[in-house]
Amino acid sequence: MSGAEGPHPRLRTRATDLFGVRYPIVQTGMGYVSDVRLTTATANAGGLGILAAGLLSYDELVVAIEQIQAGTDAPFGVNIRADQPDVVKRIDLLISAGVKVASFALAPKRELLARCKDAGLVVVPSIGARRHAEKVAAWGADAVIVQGGEGGGHTGGVPTSLLLPQVVDAVDIPVIGAGGFFDGRGLVAALAYGAEGIAMGTRFLLTSDSPVQPSVKDVYLAKTVNDTVLTLQVDGVPQRVLRAGTVERLERTSASGRLLRAVRNAVAFQKLSGTPWGDMVREGLAMRKAHDLTWSQVVMAANAPMLYRSALLEGRTDVGVMATGQVVGLIDDVPSVAELIDRIIDEATRTLDRLGVPAPVASAPAAPEED
């Protein structure tokens, strides 16, 4: 843990109180990575684990929630894609199952957010710009995860060190910093900016509790901070991935070649997932509208599920794609989730003590009114 004295009192934040967890650490919902085991391990270690549901069928989501609840009594979240055709049905499942947090990679529509709030779900969208934070805060979001440009997967261009204070100054709800965090020093830095905690993806991917193949984890561990690339070639929307195999080929392939590859992957993903073609078309239309994509880019978006699955779960790094943050170059081991969270809390406590940060001053009770 963090020594005989326990964690520093400053590590109890508005986020820990809101989520009902011990520590201000969030494990993000990464497709094919944030599964039942990783989410459960994070919840049991005192952080907020978030199950990635975007690539699960509804029936698979039902089973996954049941399995997590069988493995932990701690609160956890589920990451939902706001553009899925059955999103309302999924939200109603979270409500009926007693899930604590609904996390969104894309901001939900105002009506959907209200549905969550009315039922008592804690709503936490992920955003990459101040204006998006202001919008969802005005709609009633309980907190936001703010990812800077060095983060993995779909990301923007503003670094965390600039975006985080910008958002903290713009909204009154708890802000969770993401992008570039991996240790206790980063947690303290986020708190200094005014955030209420940190969210991490790549650091949790590189734990023994993640389902990623060991040989793939070795590929990640060998990379430096310069071995990532922000590319449009996976699904038409900027995302940060490892500079390796498929990505380098996609960057060199002609537009027609990428389109043909995307069509083949779309067919393969449909067969694997059993997702009805009508649902895939509707999701494509929603994505095109949300991101102003061309039809070619919409078809390219079919690349992502198969490319990620091939690399992360099947170990085929030569034909797959590996999302990552630039922080990959600072990670050199694969601890368990419990070991990782204990280490971060220990280091954050030592850092706060070294800086002489005092414990919060308890508010004095109000004086009784005289008759």
Side-chain angles (χ1 to χ4, degrees), residues 25 27 38 42 45 181-184 200-209 331 333-347:
I25 298 173
Q27 161 249 307
L38 183 60
T42 304
F181 296 108
F182 72 106
D183 65 2
M200 303 182 297
T202 305
R203 178 64 275 195
F204 277 107
L205 182 153
L206 291 171
T207 63
S208 59
D209 292 294
I331 298 173
D333 65 349
V334 183
S336 70
V337 164
E339 291 168 338
L340 173 64
I341 290 181
D342 279 353
R343 180 196 304 174
I344 291 173
I345 296 302
D346 277 343
E347 185 176 28

Side-chain angles (χ1 to χ4, degrees), residues 16-334:
T16 58
D17 291 345
L18 177 65
F19 302 144
V21 298
R22 294 198 302 275
Y23 306 128
I25 298 173
V26 177
Q27 161 249 307
T28 59
M30 301 167 280
Y32 292 129
V33 177
S34 301
D35 63 355
V36 168
R37 181 182 174 189
L38 183 60
T39 304
T40 304
T42 304
N44 282 330
L48 179 68
I50 297 181
L51 173 72
L55 297 175
L56 299 180
S57 69
Y58 178 83
D59 291 339
E60 289 171 335
L61 178 57
V62 171
V63 173
I65 290 174
E66 291 174 349
Q67 290 175 334
I68 295 171
Q69 291 176 329
T72 185
D73 293 326
F76 65 94
V78 175
N79 183 257
I80 299 290
R81 280 179 47 200
D83 59 347
Q84 287 185 291
D86 63 347
V87 64
V88 172
K89 184 179 179 182
R90 290 172 183 250
I91 291 298
D92 288 346
L93 170 63
L94 268 58
I95 294 167
S96 64
V99 172
K100 180 73 172 182
V101 175
S103 160
F104 292 91
L106 295 174
K109 292 182 179 179
R110 190 169 193 162
E111 298 77 15
L112 186 63
L113 194 154
R115 188 184 192 93
C116 295
K117 292 276 292 180
D118 289 346
L121 276 171
V122 175
V123 180
V124 186
S126 294
I127 60 92
R130 180 179 63 185
R131 67 182 184 279
H132 296 152
E134 291 171 334
K135 180 176 73 173
V136 296
W139 288 357
D142 295 288
V144 286
I145 294 175
V146 178
Q147 178 170 303
E150 57 268 62
H154 295 114
T155 194
V158 180
T160 305
S161 59
L162 301 179
L163 182 61
L164 189 53
Q166 194 180 40
V167 174
V168 166
D169 289 344
V171 300
D172 294 327
I173 58 177
V175 174
I176 310 298
F181 296 108
F182 72 106
D183 65 2
R185 295 171 300 176
L187 173 53
V188 173
L191 297 178
Y193 276 123
E196 306 288 343
I198 56 172
M200 303 182 297
T202 305
R203 178 64 275 195
F204 277 107
L205 182 153
L206 291 171
T207 63
S208 59
D209 292 294
S210 104
V212 175
Q213 290 287 323
S215 60
V216 178
K217 292 175 183 175
D218 288 340
V219 172
Y220 275 86
L221 292 174
K223 298 299 183 180
T224 73
V225 294
N226 297 315
D227 289 327
T228 72
V229 61
L230 194 61
T231 182
L232 293 170
Q233 303 310 329
V234 176
D235 61 5
V237 181
Q239 60 177 303
R240 187 174 297 282
V241 299
L242 284 183
R243 191 189 303 276
T246 295
V247 170
E248 292 185 321
R249 287 195 296 274
L250 285 172
E251 291 282 338
R252 296 193 301 265
T253 303
S254 66
S256 59
R258 291 195 297 271
L259 187 59
L260 179 60
R261 182 191 297 266
V263 170
R264 288 199 301 265
N265 282 330
V267 173
F269 177 67
Q270 193 280 330
K271 290 181 179 178
L272 177 70
S273 66
T275 303
W277 280 109
D279 285 356
M280 291 183 68
V281 170
R282 281 191 290 273
E283 288 183 35
L285 289 171
M287 183 176 292
R288 182 173 187 262
K289 181 179 180 181
H291 298 287
D292 194 27
L293 302 182
T294 66
W295 281 113
S296 177
Q297 288 173 317
V298 170
V299 178
M300 282 171 57
N303 274 322
M306 289 303 298
L307 291 175
Y308 282 129
R309 182 185 176 87
S310 295
L312 299 175
L313 300 189
E314 299 171 6
R316 302 173 63 196
T317 57
D318 57 327
V319 297
V321 167
M322 294 165 280
T324 184
Q326 286 182 294
V327 74
V328 67
L330 301 177
I331 298 173
D332 58 10
D333 65 349
V334 183

